[in-house]
Amino acid sequence: MKLKALIGLAAATATLFAAPVRAEEIVLKVAHFWPATALSQQKILEPWCAKIAAESDNRLKCQIFPAMQLGGTPAQLIQQAADGVADIVWTLPGYTAGRFPSVEVFELPFMTHNAEGASRAAWAYYEQFGQKDFESVKPLAFHVHDAGHIHNNKRPITRMSDFRGLKMRAPTRLTNRMIAHLGATPVAMPMPQTPEAVSKGVVDGYVLPWEVIPTMKLHEMTKYHTEMDASQPSLYTTFFTIAMNKARYDSLPDELKKVIDANSGADFSAAIGRAWDESAPAARQQAVDRGNQFHTIPASEAAEWVKVGDRFAAEWVKEVSGKGYPGQEMLDTARALIATHSAR
């Protein structure tokens, strides 16, 4: 009996002083199409991953897969999130043409003034109009990039007639249609394919914001850059999402769901937009330093361009209304939200 008592006491003592069992560490696979050196990974994803790790006591961690390292194409990223190939993806809904018509409105010409305000507006707009389109995933952020500009090697673009005969790359269904409305021949392709297409002359030019250009070394392949007057809305922008696999999110303990939720939504979206806004001057300067040629479309000439944008917007409203969406209400709401949040 004494021996049993001693064994029991030893076991109890061992249990009392044993190190506490550490909660399981959860590694989230995060996939995107940019190179690892891009702003998107270094200024957004890596800090975000560090934040959720700190706030979860290192129970949530990320493994980032840049440049499509999990396989597939950029257009497949959103489905990879839906299917669980990746836990989180960063992509353009517009890479899958026609699948997310509700949010295309942000890619119409002359909608935005800055990425931060428009990105906060994008989240509010999604809550009102986009939830059905994105029901296969759990969105963490929606954002747009800073002002998109025109870049080409054929000739300076000083008026709309200069687009005639040019083959221009654009990323999504709506940006390609914008190129066609301006008079060029659109060539659809994801951003990672653009440098090769430019270097081989497959396209004469492209539309992109400044941040992306030095990341892809496109400023070294491009002669001419055209920008709208700073007083005017951006010629165009592109709509992005960071989205999570729903089952992966649902499998998390409640306390870890709260960490994800606290680092998602309108504030996260606006922070991404702000990072894009802040990136533009330094990226643009690299093209200046190479001696590339710049042209600004003055405000006095912008009205003609805006009229083209207005006709395009009316066509879009008619098209999506025919699919059962409240097209005019979506356009009016997007414009109002962008104006409200961009004025802050």
PDB file of all heavy atoms in Angstrom, residues 36 46 52 58 61 77 99 110 146 155 171-172 195 205 207 213-214 237 263-264 277 281 303 308 318 329 338:
ATOM      1  N   ALA A  36       8.415  37.840 -54.871  1.00  0.00           N
ATOM      2  CA  ALA A  36       8.568  38.039 -53.428  1.00  0.00           C
ATOM      3  C   ALA A  36       9.077  39.423 -53.080  1.00  0.00           C
ATOM      4  O   ALA A  36       8.925  39.878 -51.935  1.00  0.00           O
ATOM      5  CB  ALA A  36       9.514  36.979 -52.857  1.00  0.00           C
ATOM      6  N   GLU A  46       3.692  40.300 -45.443  1.00  0.00           N
ATOM      7  CA  GLU A  46       4.620  39.951 -44.360  1.00  0.00           C
ATOM      8  C   GLU A  46       4.275  40.675 -43.058  1.00  0.00           C
ATOM      9  O   GLU A  46       4.232  40.039 -41.991  1.00  0.00           O
ATOM     10  CB  GLU A  46       6.055  40.205 -44.805  1.00  0.00           C
ATOM     11  CG  GLU A  46       6.517  39.211 -45.877  1.00  0.00           C
ATOM     12  CD  GLU A  46       7.930  39.469 -46.363  1.00  0.00           C
ATOM     13  OE1 GLU A  46       8.609  40.355 -45.795  1.00  0.00           O
ATOM     14  OE2 GLU A  46       8.366  38.783 -47.310  1.00  0.00           O
ATOM     15  N   ILE A  52      -0.772  38.862 -37.162  1.00  0.00           N
ATOM     16  CA  ILE A  52      -1.658  37.803 -36.676  1.00  0.00           C
ATOM     17  C   ILE A  52      -0.876  36.784 -35.844  1.00  0.00           C
ATOM     18  O   ILE A  52      -1.436  36.172 -34.923  1.00  0.00           O
ATOM     19  CB  ILE A  52      -2.437  37.108 -37.812  1.00  0.00           C
ATOM     20  CG1 ILE A  52      -1.516  36.352 -38.768  1.00  0.00           C
ATOM     21  CG2 ILE A  52      -3.309  38.103 -38.557  1.00  0.00           C
ATOM     22  CD1 ILE A  52      -2.260  35.418 -39.708  1.00  0.00           C
ATOM     23  N   ASN A  58       1.617  33.402 -31.476  1.00  0.00           N
ATOM     24  CA  ASN A  58       2.322  32.536 -32.434  1.00  0.00           C
ATOM     25  C   ASN A  58       1.580  31.233 -32.759  1.00  0.00           C
ATOM     26  O   ASN A  58       2.197  30.294 -33.259  1.00  0.00           O
ATOM     27  CB  ASN A  58       3.744  32.228 -31.967  1.00  0.00           C
ATOM     28  CG  ASN A  58       4.656  33.420 -32.145  1.00  0.00           C
ATOM     29  OD1 ASN A  58       4.601  34.101 -33.178  1.00  0.00           O
ATOM     30  ND2 ASN A  58       5.478  33.694 -31.159  1.00  0.00           N
ATOM     31  N   LYS A  61       0.461  31.216 -38.060  1.00  0.00           N
ATOM     32  CA  LYS A  61       1.636  31.603 -38.833  1.00  0.00           C
ATOM     33  C   LYS A  61       1.336  31.446 -40.315  1.00  0.00           C
ATOM     34  O   LYS A  61       0.415  30.732 -40.713  1.00  0.00           O
ATOM     35  CB  LYS A  61       2.851  30.754 -38.434  1.00  0.00           C
ATOM     36  CG  LYS A  61       3.331  31.030 -37.015  1.00  0.00           C
ATOM     37  CD  LYS A  61       4.644  30.330 -36.718  1.00  0.00           C
ATOM     38  CE  LYS A  61       5.153  30.704 -35.330  1.00  0.00           C
ATOM     39  NZ  LYS A  61       6.450  30.055 -35.026  1.00  0.00           N
ATOM     40  N   LEU A  77      -6.297  31.522 -58.996  1.00  0.00           N
ATOM     41  CA  LEU A  77      -6.063  31.748 -57.570  1.00  0.00           C
ATOM     42  C   LEU A  77      -7.358  31.777 -56.757  1.00  0.00           C
ATOM     43  O   LEU A  77      -7.433  31.182 -55.669  1.00  0.00           O
ATOM     44  CB  LEU A  77      -5.289  33.048 -57.361  1.00  0.00           C
ATOM     45  CG  LEU A  77      -3.778  32.960 -57.525  1.00  0.00           C
ATOM     46  CD1 LEU A  77      -3.166  34.354 -57.596  1.00  0.00           C
ATOM     47  CD2 LEU A  77      -3.154  32.171 -56.371  1.00  0.00           C
ATOM     48  N   ARG A  99     -17.214  36.406 -63.584  1.00  0.00           N
ATOM     49  CA  ARG A  99     -17.570  35.679 -62.370  1.00  0.00           C
ATOM     50  C   ARG A  99     -17.970  36.624 -61.230  1.00  0.00           C
ATOM     51  O   ARG A  99     -18.760  36.238 -60.364  1.00  0.00           O
ATOM     52  CB  ARG A  99     -16.383  34.810 -61.923  1.00  0.00           C
ATOM     53  CG  ARG A  99     -16.674  33.959 -60.697  1.00  0.00           C
ATOM     54  CD  ARG A  99     -15.577  32.954 -60.430  1.00  0.00           C
ATOM     55  NE  ARG A  99     -15.804  32.212 -59.200  1.00  0.00           N
ATOM     56  CZ  ARG A  99     -15.010  31.244 -58.737  1.00  0.00           C
ATOM     57  NH1 ARG A  99     -13.937  30.896 -59.435  1.00  0.00           N
ATOM     58  NH2 ARG A  99     -15.279  30.617 -57.606  1.00  0.00           N
ATOM     59  N   PHE A 110     -12.195  56.675 -64.703  1.00  0.00           N
ATOM     60  CA  PHE A 110     -12.414  57.924 -63.982  1.00  0.00           C
ATOM     61  C   PHE A 110     -13.320  57.768 -62.757  1.00  0.00           C
ATOM     62  O   PHE A 110     -14.182  58.593 -62.491  1.00  0.00           O
ATOM     63  CB  PHE A 110     -12.968  58.994 -64.938  1.00  0.00           C
ATOM     64  CG  PHE A 110     -12.079  59.234 -66.125  1.00  0.00           C
ATOM     65  CD1 PHE A 110     -12.439  58.780 -67.389  1.00  0.00           C
ATOM     66  CD2 PHE A 110     -10.869  59.880 -65.972  1.00  0.00           C
ATOM     67  CE1 PHE A 110     -11.614  58.982 -68.479  1.00  0.00           C
ATOM     68  CE2 PHE A 110     -10.034  60.085 -67.061  1.00  0.00           C
ATOM     69  CZ  PHE A 110     -10.400  59.637 -68.315  1.00  0.00           C
ATOM     70  N   ASP A 146      -3.256  52.422 -56.890  1.00  0.00           N
ATOM     71  CA  ASP A 146      -3.246  53.854 -57.171  1.00  0.00           C
ATOM     72  C   ASP A 146      -3.470  54.083 -58.669  1.00  0.00           C
ATOM     73  O   ASP A 146      -3.632  53.135 -59.434  1.00  0.00           O
ATOM     74  CB  ASP A 146      -1.924  54.464 -56.719  1.00  0.00           C
ATOM     75  CG  ASP A 146      -0.730  53.825 -57.412  1.00  0.00           C
ATOM     76  OD1 ASP A 146      -0.530  52.617 -57.202  1.00  0.00           O
ATOM     77  OD2 ASP A 146      -0.017  54.510 -58.156  1.00  0.00           O
ATOM     78  N   ARG A 155       4.868  55.322 -79.600  1.00  0.00           N
ATOM     79  CA  ARG A 155       4.852  56.778 -79.754  1.00  0.00           C
ATOM     80  C   ARG A 155       4.244  57.400 -78.503  1.00  0.00           C
ATOM     81  O   ARG A 155       3.523  56.744 -77.750  1.00  0.00           O
ATOM     82  CB  ARG A 155       4.027  57.176 -80.982  1.00  0.00           C
ATOM     83  CG  ARG A 155       2.614  56.613 -80.986  1.00  0.00           C
ATOM     84  CD  ARG A 155       1.831  57.083 -82.203  1.00  0.00           C
ATOM     85  NE  ARG A 155       0.552  56.374 -82.337  1.00  0.00           N
ATOM     86  CZ  ARG A 155       0.383  55.295 -83.090  1.00  0.00           C
ATOM     87  NH1 ARG A 155       1.413  54.786 -83.769  1.00  0.00           N
ATOM     88  NH2 ARG A 155      -0.798  54.718 -83.175  1.00  0.00           N
ATOM     89  N   PRO A 171      -5.346  44.123 -67.788  1.00  0.00           N
ATOM     90  CA  PRO A 171      -5.479  42.913 -66.976  1.00  0.00           C
ATOM     91  C   PRO A 171      -6.835  42.233 -66.969  1.00  0.00           C
ATOM     92  O   PRO A 171      -6.911  41.015 -66.801  1.00  0.00           O
ATOM     93  CB  PRO A 171      -5.147  43.416 -65.562  1.00  0.00           C
ATOM     94  CG  PRO A 171      -5.548  44.862 -65.585  1.00  0.00           C
ATOM     95  CD  PRO A 171      -5.263  45.350 -66.971  1.00  0.00           C
ATOM     96  N   THR A 172      -7.928  42.984 -67.107  1.00  0.00           N
ATOM     97  CA  THR A 172      -9.248  42.411 -66.860  1.00  0.00           C
ATOM     98  C   THR A 172     -10.214  42.741 -67.997  1.00  0.00           C
ATOM     99  O   THR A 172      -9.907  43.520 -68.902  1.00  0.00           O
ATOM    100  CB  THR A 172      -9.842  42.955 -65.545  1.00  0.00           C
ATOM    101  OG1 THR A 172     -10.087  44.368 -65.695  1.00  0.00           O
ATOM    102  CG2 THR A 172      -8.905  42.724 -64.365  1.00  0.00           C
ATOM    103  N   PRO A 195       6.119  41.641 -68.974  1.00  0.00           N
ATOM    104  CA  PRO A 195       7.483  41.962 -69.421  1.00  0.00           C
ATOM    105  C   PRO A 195       7.906  41.210 -70.679  1.00  0.00           C
ATOM    106  O   PRO A 195       8.482  41.809 -71.601  1.00  0.00           O
ATOM    107  CB  PRO A 195       8.343  41.577 -68.210  1.00  0.00           C
ATOM    108  CG  PRO A 195       7.428  41.717 -67.041  1.00  0.00           C
ATOM    109  CD  PRO A 195       6.094  41.270 -67.547  1.00  0.00           C
ATOM    110  N   GLY A 205       2.346  48.322 -75.782  1.00  0.00           N
ATOM    111  CA  GLY A 205       2.324  49.003 -74.502  1.00  0.00           C
ATOM    112  C   GLY A 205       1.374  48.331 -73.538  1.00  0.00           C
ATOM    113  O   GLY A 205       0.876  47.225 -73.801  1.00  0.00           O
ATOM    114  N   VAL A 207      -1.198  49.195 -69.648  1.00  0.00           N
ATOM    115  CA  VAL A 207      -1.656  50.096 -68.591  1.00  0.00           C
ATOM    116  C   VAL A 207      -1.316  49.454 -67.250  1.00  0.00           C
ATOM    117  O   VAL A 207      -1.586  48.274 -67.026  1.00  0.00           O
ATOM    118  CB  VAL A 207      -3.166  50.412 -68.695  1.00  0.00           C
ATOM    119  CG1 VAL A 207      -3.440  51.284 -69.905  1.00  0.00           C
ATOM    120  CG2 VAL A 207      -4.014  49.146 -68.752  1.00  0.00           C
ATOM    121  N   ILE A 213       5.778  48.734 -61.997  1.00  0.00           N
ATOM    122  CA  ILE A 213       6.676  48.844 -63.148  1.00  0.00           C
ATOM    123  C   ILE A 213       8.132  48.528 -62.815  1.00  0.00           C
ATOM    124  O   ILE A 213       8.744  47.666 -63.462  1.00  0.00           O
ATOM    125  CB  ILE A 213       6.486  50.216 -63.821  1.00  0.00           C
ATOM    126  CG1 ILE A 213       5.108  50.227 -64.494  1.00  0.00           C
ATOM    127  CG2 ILE A 213       7.589  50.511 -64.827  1.00  0.00           C
ATOM    128  CD1 ILE A 213       4.684  51.548 -65.040  1.00  0.00           C
ATOM    129  N   PRO A 214       8.765  49.150 -61.812  1.00  0.00           N
ATOM    130  CA  PRO A 214      10.140  48.751 -61.500  1.00  0.00           C
ATOM    131  C   PRO A 214      10.248  47.348 -60.926  1.00  0.00           C
ATOM    132  O   PRO A 214      11.271  46.678 -61.108  1.00  0.00           O
ATOM    133  CB  PRO A 214      10.607  49.814 -60.501  1.00  0.00           C
ATOM    134  CG  PRO A 214       9.370  50.411 -59.958  1.00  0.00           C
ATOM    135  CD  PRO A 214       8.352  50.328 -61.039  1.00  0.00           C
ATOM    136  N   THR A 237      -8.425  52.039 -62.499  1.00  0.00           N
ATOM    137  CA  THR A 237      -7.760  51.264 -61.463  1.00  0.00           C
ATOM    138  C   THR A 237      -8.227  49.822 -61.591  1.00  0.00           C
ATOM    139  O   THR A 237      -9.095  49.517 -62.410  1.00  0.00           O
ATOM    140  CB  THR A 237      -8.024  51.811 -60.053  1.00  0.00           C
ATOM    141  OG1 THR A 237      -7.145  51.178 -59.115  1.00  0.00           O
ATOM    142  CG2 THR A 237      -9.473  51.572 -59.622  1.00  0.00           C
ATOM    143  N   ASN A 263      -8.141  41.709 -38.075  1.00  0.00           N
ATOM    144  CA  ASN A 263      -7.161  42.156 -39.062  1.00  0.00           C
ATOM    145  C   ASN A 263      -7.702  42.044 -40.489  1.00  0.00           C
ATOM    146  O   ASN A 263      -6.938  41.873 -41.437  1.00  0.00           O
ATOM    147  CB  ASN A 263      -5.873  41.351 -38.900  1.00  0.00           C
ATOM    148  CG  ASN A 263      -5.148  41.703 -37.624  1.00  0.00           C
ATOM    149  OD1 ASN A 263      -4.500  42.732 -37.534  1.00  0.00           O
ATOM    150  ND2 ASN A 263      -5.289  40.854 -36.602  1.00  0.00           N
ATOM    151  N   SER A 264      -9.013  42.143 -40.618  1.00  0.00           N
ATOM    152  CA  SER A 264      -9.691  42.079 -41.913  1.00  0.00           C
ATOM    153  C   SER A 264     -10.652  43.255 -42.025  1.00  0.00           C
ATOM    154  O   SER A 264     -10.919  43.951 -41.044  1.00  0.00           O
ATOM    155  CB  SER A 264     -10.483  40.775 -42.044  1.00  0.00           C
ATOM    156  OG  SER A 264      -9.670  39.657 -41.819  1.00  0.00           O
ATOM    157  N   ASP A 277      -0.693  54.041 -52.689  1.00  0.00           N
ATOM    158  CA  ASP A 277      -0.554  55.489 -52.905  1.00  0.00           C
ATOM    159  C   ASP A 277       0.866  55.954 -52.578  1.00  0.00           C
ATOM    160  O   ASP A 277       1.462  56.740 -53.323  1.00  0.00           O
ATOM    161  CB  ASP A 277      -1.548  56.249 -52.027  1.00  0.00           C
ATOM    162  CG  ASP A 277      -2.985  56.167 -52.511  1.00  0.00           C
ATOM    163  OD1 ASP A 277      -3.204  55.994 -53.727  1.00  0.00           O
ATOM    164  OD2 ASP A 277      -3.898  56.276 -51.666  1.00  0.00           O
ATOM    165  N   PRO A 281       5.425  57.656 -55.998  1.00  0.00           N
ATOM    166  CA  PRO A 281       6.481  58.614 -56.367  1.00  0.00           C
ATOM    167  C   PRO A 281       7.856  57.979 -56.570  1.00  0.00           C
ATOM    168  O   PRO A 281       8.545  58.291 -57.554  1.00  0.00           O
ATOM    169  CB  PRO A 281       6.482  59.603 -55.189  1.00  0.00           C
ATOM    170  CG  PRO A 281       5.091  59.531 -54.638  1.00  0.00           C
ATOM    171  CD  PRO A 281       4.707  58.088 -54.784  1.00  0.00           C
ATOM    172  N   ALA A 303     -11.828  66.305 -70.605  1.00  0.00           N
ATOM    173  CA  ALA A 303     -13.285  66.166 -70.754  1.00  0.00           C
ATOM    174  C   ALA A 303     -13.642  65.187 -71.861  1.00  0.00           C
ATOM    175  O   ALA A 303     -14.609  64.420 -71.736  1.00  0.00           O
ATOM    176  CB  ALA A 303     -13.911  67.530 -71.027  1.00  0.00           C
ATOM    177  N   VAL A 308     -15.884  59.513 -72.983  1.00  0.00           N
ATOM    178  CA  VAL A 308     -15.742  58.106 -73.373  1.00  0.00           C
ATOM    179  C   VAL A 308     -16.001  57.209 -72.171  1.00  0.00           C
ATOM    180  O   VAL A 308     -16.693  56.186 -72.266  1.00  0.00           O
ATOM    181  CB  VAL A 308     -14.339  57.844 -73.955  1.00  0.00           C
ATOM    182  CG1 VAL A 308     -14.121  56.354 -74.182  1.00  0.00           C
ATOM    183  CG2 VAL A 308     -14.165  58.604 -75.260  1.00  0.00           C
ATOM    184  N   LYS A 318     -26.138  48.896 -68.349  1.00  0.00           N
ATOM    185  CA  LYS A 318     -27.123  48.157 -69.143  1.00  0.00           C
ATOM    186  C   LYS A 318     -26.806  46.667 -69.149  1.00  0.00           C
ATOM    187  O   LYS A 318     -27.713  45.824 -69.009  1.00  0.00           O
ATOM    188  CB  LYS A 318     -27.144  48.699 -70.568  1.00  0.00           C
ATOM    189  CG  LYS A 318     -28.188  48.047 -71.466  1.00  0.00           C
ATOM    190  CD  LYS A 318     -28.200  48.689 -72.850  1.00  0.00           C
ATOM    191  CE  LYS A 318     -29.240  48.036 -73.749  1.00  0.00           C
ATOM    192  NZ  LYS A 318     -29.251  48.655 -75.104  1.00  0.00           N
ATOM    193  N   GLU A 329     -27.892  51.579 -59.606  1.00  0.00           N
ATOM    194  CA  GLU A 329     -27.719  51.756 -58.162  1.00  0.00           C
ATOM    195  C   GLU A 329     -26.291  51.406 -57.744  1.00  0.00           C
ATOM    196  O   GLU A 329     -25.699  52.090 -56.900  1.00  0.00           O
ATOM    197  CB  GLU A 329     -28.718  50.888 -57.400  1.00  0.00           C
ATOM    198  CG  GLU A 329     -28.640  51.069 -55.886  1.00  0.00           C
ATOM    199  CD  GLU A 329     -29.567  50.134 -55.122  1.00  0.00           C
ATOM    200  OE1 GLU A 329     -30.304  49.348 -55.774  1.00  0.00           O
ATOM    201  OE2 GLU A 329     -29.556  50.180 -53.875  1.00  0.00           O
ATOM    202  N   ILE A 338     -16.918  56.263 -52.926  1.00  0.00           N
ATOM    203  CA  ILE A 338     -15.560  56.712 -53.241  1.00  0.00           C
ATOM    204  C   ILE A 338     -15.417  58.188 -52.889  1.00  0.00           C
ATOM    205  O   ILE A 338     -14.408  58.614 -52.290  1.00  0.00           O
ATOM    206  CB  ILE A 338     -15.255  56.464 -54.723  1.00  0.00           C
ATOM    207  CG1 ILE A 338     -15.100  54.953 -54.975  1.00  0.00           C
ATOM    208  CG2 ILE A 338     -13.973  57.184 -55.142  1.00  0.00           C
ATOM    209  CD1 ILE A 338     -15.073  54.582 -56.444  1.00  0.00           C
TER     210      ILE A 338
END
